[in-house]
């Protein structure tokens, strides 16, 4: 079984909440860029963490707010998830807390051993202010020529109804930075992954 297929099977077994074609495209991009170290903001059930753990062999750091509005599973559930993932994938590091806090930022930096991440995947606070702050806080931890991915970039009724404001920030980011970018969007009515090339 190739690495991407194994990662997909593992991620979905852990409850990954991504459209198959979108996360497959993102996974292929990670492999193409030889991504070995990734930081994710927002873990939910741990599916994306497990997906990244298969593809990125050196370090996977997962930041999650256990009782957050956007998919929190509570402190007990998050603790069990992190213990099991850590046992299966010793290169995974979990940081519980608000990604917007200085304590969490310092905890993430402590995992890095002075080496920047190859990629960042932002799927935490889906408000405009929240996703903007996650980008501003953690983008500098990604190496030059690295990748920054955003989930839920699609303008759609479901996102509007749920208060997801990532699409507005993604549009602004594309226009203001002038950086190369790519989008993986299926026809499933929600979701979408946007990737910024650092």
């Amino acid at each position: 079984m190739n690495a991407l297929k194994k990662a997909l099977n593992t991620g979905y077994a852990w409850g990954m909440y991504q459209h198959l074609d979108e996360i497959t495209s993102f996974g292929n991009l990670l492999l193409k860029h030889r991504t070995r170290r990734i930081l994710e903001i927002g873990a939910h059930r741990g599916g994306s963490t497990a997906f990244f753990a298969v593809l990125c062999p050196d370090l996977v750091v997962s930041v999650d707010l256990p009782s957050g509005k956007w998919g929190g599973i509570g402190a007990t559930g998050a603790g069990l998830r992190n213990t099991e993932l850590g046992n299966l994938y010793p290169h995974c590091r979990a940081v519980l807390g608000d990604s917007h806090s200085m304590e969490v930022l310092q905890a993430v930096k402590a995992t890095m051993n002075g080496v920047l991440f190859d990629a960042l995947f932002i799927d935490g606070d889906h408000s405009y202010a929240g996703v903007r702050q996650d980008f501003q806080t953690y983008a500098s931890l990604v190496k030059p020529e690295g990748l920054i991915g955003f989930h839920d970039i699609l303008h759609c009724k479901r996102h509007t109804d749920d208060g997801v404001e990532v699409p507005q920030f993604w549009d602004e980011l594309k226009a203001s930075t002038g950086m190369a970018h790519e989008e993986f969007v299926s026809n499933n009515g929600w979701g979408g992954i946007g990737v910024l090339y650092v």
Side-chain angles (χ1 to χ4, degrees):
M1 183 184 305
N2 68 37
L4 183 56
K5 185 173 182 181
K6 181 179 179 183
L8 289 167
N9 288 343
T10 303
Y12 284 118
W14 275 84
M16 184 163 63
Y17 199 61
Q18 309 282 346
H19 293 307
L20 177 61
D21 51 345
E22 295 173 0
I23 197 64
T24 297
S25 296
F26 187 61
N28 276 320
L29 193 61
L30 294 176
L31 289 171
K32 178 182 174 184
H33 283 257
R34 296 181 174 87
T35 304
R36 301 186 65 83
R37 302 165 56 85
I38 190 167
L39 168 64
E40 73 165 342
I41 309 297
H44 194 52
R45 293 181 292 256
S48 55
T49 312
F51 175 79
F52 295 138
V54 173
L55 295 181
C56 306
D58 289 357
L59 181 65
V60 175
V61 178
S62 175
V63 174
D64 191 55
L65 184 60
S67 299
K69 174 182 176 182
W70 306 99
I73 60 173
T76 300
L80 292 170
R81 173 199 66 205
N82 293 343
T83 297
E84 190 170 350
L85 282 168
N87 288 337
L88 289 170
Y89 306 103
H91 63 293
C92 285
R93 304 287 181 271
V95 177
L96 290 182
D98 187 345
S99 61
H100 304 150
S101 74
M102 185 57 65
E103 293 79 13
V104 166
L105 174 60
Q106 293 307 317
V108 169
K109 287 182 175 180
T111 69
M112 298 171 64
N113 295 321
V115 181
L116 294 174
F117 292 100
D118 300 310
L120 165 65
F121 188 68
I122 299 175
D123 190 19
D125 184 335
H126 285 54
S127 69
Y128 175 87
V131 69
R132 182 174 184 266
Q133 187 170 348
D134 283 336
F135 174 74
Q136 291 176 335
T137 302
Y138 297 100
S140 64
L141 303 185
V142 179
K143 72 177 187 180
E145 301 180 2
L147 307 170
I148 300 177
F150 298 83
H151 189 229
D152 293 324
I153 63 162
L154 182 65
H155 287 277
C156 61
K157 183 179 187 307
R158 177 170 172 177
H159 287 170
T160 300
D161 290 348
D162 291 345
V164 173
E165 298 172 335
V166 179
Q168 292 88 332
F169 178 70
W170 174 244
D171 287 349
E172 177 184 292
L173 189 64
K174 290 186 297 183
S176 64
T177 64
M179 297 172 78
H181 62 274
E182 192 166 1
E183 296 181 354
F184 307 122
V185 178
S186 63
N187 294 316
N188 292 297
W190 63 276
I193 294 175
V195 181
L196 197 68
Y197 293 89
V198 178

